[in-house]
Amino acid sequence: MKKLPLLGDITPAQFLREYWHKKPLLIRNAIPGFKPLLSFDALAKLASTNHAESRLVTGFDGEWAMQHGPLETLPPRDKKEWTMLVQGVNLFDAKADELLRQFRFLPDARLDDLMVSFATDGGGVGPHFDSYDVFLLQAQGQRRWQIGPQKDLSLIDGLPLKILANFKPNEEFVLNPGDMLYLPPHYAHDGIAIGDCQTYSIGFRSPSYQELGENFLQFMADSIDLPGRYADPELEVSNKPAEIPRQMLTALTDELNKVRFTEEDITIFFGEYMSEPKHNVFFTGPAKPLTVGKFGEAVLKKGLALSRKTQMLYRGKHVFINGESFGVGKADKATLELLANNRRLEAAEFATASDDVLEALYTWYQDGWVELG
């Protein structure tokens, strides 16, 4: 897929400066002539599997209901007010992955997935807000969006969906195929299908600091080194045996204060954490892998590409791939940065690859993390 303009007549830099995290942007004809990448049948088949995350949302007779996948059966196509949502379609379809990669003017560490929503007439998921930025690309039919910057984000109790209790939109748009709407985090919105429609949501990762903090402490547990054991050779007689002695807490505080987190610790943690595959992502290596020698010959002829399921990041001397990390030298760094940024290496770009890099690439090939060609 060739590079698409996406943002109309503004540049990515202007978008980030004026809209990102700040205000909505409606882009008419963002992708001219755009058509659904998957048919309804293909989407329904994906939703019926246990390796794709899916949901069925219905609003029949004014009653909200939600069912998590696998979705073995769906309501009739001619029945109104139901929605099928499939997360991470980019993991299972090459064209969906290509579309998601069009948004790489933003960092890979932020880019999450492409979700496809199919809805019959009147279908939607109710007025709500997201905790992350989102691009809403209309792929089929029409959807009416109502949006608003309201501060009151209280929800209706007792529902299976997070639906705003007091939705007060101040703008309304009808999106046609190829139109796209960007919304910043916590911007209230409600999309209702006009006839059958498909909407593609390009979402972004926005982990909470609490989530990051908890996982960072777990990560650091393996590297903390505090030698010695508590001792109190000057212990005195206590007439309050149940009270924890102050000197015990003082000694413990002094020891724990020796724990220090460096920027390198945080870099390694964050790179591994943000490249870790989701729980439903599984890799499959080649059924009959080439020998290491034949692999090297094939790479020099065909080149090599990252699997669409692979997340590869780097920072400084550290390279991260699918939750693993390692340090590299200057020469290898250039090769691996090319692979991470371009998501492939052409045959000629292997000329400077060291034996260590070729060995790593062969291991990744066996694991299904990279593919020939």
Side-chain angles (χ1 to χ4, degrees):
M1 184 182 290
K2 67 178 182 179
K3 186 66 178 175
L4 301 172
L6 290 180
L7 300 175
D9 58 357
I10 68 172
T11 65
Q14 185 180 353
F15 167 76
L16 291 173
R17 186 171 58 249
E18 298 180 14
Y19 294 94
W20 179 255
H21 260 40
K22 301 173 187 70
K23 60 183 180 180
L25 175 64
L26 174 64
I27 308 154
R28 293 292 186 190
N29 219 22
I31 305 181
F34 188 72
K35 292 180 173 57
L37 303 178
L38 284 84
S39 67
F40 170 81
D41 289 340
L43 193 62
K45 183 178 180 181
L46 185 57
S48 70
T49 64
N50 58 14
H51 54 266
E53 291 186 62
S54 59
R55 289 167 289 161
L56 174 65
V57 176
T58 59
F60 303 148
D61 301 320
E63 295 291 330
W64 289 106
M66 181 171 66
Q67 174 188 340
H68 289 277
L71 303 177
E72 297 179 358
T73 59
L74 296 169
R77 285 284 299 273
D78 58 0
K79 189 173 179 64
K80 296 183 178 182
E81 298 181 344
W82 64 268
T83 300
M84 170 178 58
L85 304 117
V86 186
Q87 296 279 161
V89 175
N90 53 289
L91 299 172
F92 308 103
D93 182 82
K95 290 183 179 179
D97 182 68
E98 289 177 11
L99 176 60
L100 180 69
R101 303 295 171 189
Q102 294 284 332
F103 292 82
R104 293 184 79 209
F105 59 90
L106 298 158
D108 283 348
R110 289 286 267 120
L111 196 58
D112 191 4
D113 75 341
L114 187 148
M115 180 183 78
V116 177
S117 164
F118 170 86
T120 59
D121 188 48
V125 297
H128 65 285
F129 67 92
D130 297 314
S131 299
Y132 49 84
D133 305 82
V134 64
F135 288 93
L136 300 162
L137 173 66
Q138 193 63 22
Q140 171 195 346
Q142 295 180 311
R143 189 182 290 270
R144 176 179 289 105
W145 288 101
Q146 293 182 312
I147 67 173
Q150 66 189 65
K151 301 297 183 184
D152 178 6
L153 299 178
S154 56
L155 304 175
I156 300 175
D157 292 332
L159 294 181
L161 299 161
K162 295 182 177 179
I163 294 180
L164 289 166
N166 302 297
F167 182 50
K168 296 179 180 178
N170 65 354
E171 292 183 276
E172 181 176 308
F173 313 104
V174 173
L175 267 61
N176 298 303
D179 293 344
M180 187 165 68
L181 176 64
Y182 161 76
L183 295 173
H186 301 109
Y187 212 90
H189 54 286
D190 185 23
I192 303 295
I194 303 174
D196 285 1
C197 88
Q198 283 193 45
T199 303
Y200 291 5
S201 300
I202 294 89
F204 294 83
R205 295 190 68 178
S206 182
S208 69
Y209 288 127
Q210 181 69 26
E211 173 190 341
L212 291 171
E214 290 175 0
N215 283 276
F216 177 66
L217 291 178
Q218 292 176 10
F219 167 83
M220 288 300 297
D222 294 331
S223 60
I224 290 175
D225 183 21
L226 290 175
R229 184 181 295 273
Y230 176 77
D232 43 15
E234 299 178 0
L235 184 64
E236 298 178 355
V237 174
S238 172
N239 59 6
K240 297 178 181 178
E243 182 179 29
I244 299 174
R246 178 173 295 279
Q247 63 266 32
M248 287 189 78
L249 294 176
T250 300
L252 177 60
T253 300
D254 290 344
E255 287 301 314
L256 293 183
N257 279 335
K258 293 177 182 177
V259 177
R260 291 288 182 269
F261 306 142
T262 67
E263 184 175 339
E264 185 171 40
D265 291 330
I266 295 170
T267 298
I268 295 172
F269 155 72
F270 194 65
E272 291 183 2
Y273 186 75
M274 297 303 282
S275 66
E276 180 74 28
K278 294 185 178 181
H279 67 90
N280 62 323
V281 173
F282 300 95
F283 292 89
T284 304
K288 294 182 178 180
L290 301 174
T291 64
V292 64
K294 293 291 185 182
F295 170 77
E297 293 174 6
V299 163
L300 292 174
K301 291 179 181 178
K302 304 177 182 178
L304 174 145
L306 295 178
S307 161
R308 58 176 173 264
K309 297 180 180 180
T310 287
Q311 175 80 307
M312 187 175 184
L313 308 170
Y314 66 87
R315 182 69 195 180
K317 66 179 181 180
H318 300 288
V319 174
F320 311 98
I321 182 167
N322 294 337
E324 298 184 5
S325 67
F326 53 94
V328 294
K330 188 174 182 179
D332 291 344
K333 180 174 181 287
T335 302
L336 292 172
E337 284 186 7
L338 271 177
L339 177 58
N341 284 320
N342 298 336
R343 295 192 62 81
R344 67 170 293 108
L345 283 174
E346 303 301 339
E349 294 170 333
F350 283 90
T352 59
S354 69
D355 290 342
D356 288 342
V357 167
L358 289 173
E359 183 180 343
L361 292 173
Y362 182 64
T363 300
W364 299 345
Y365 157 73
Q366 290 178 303
D367 292 338
W369 293 7
V370 298
E371 301 164 353
L372 291 169

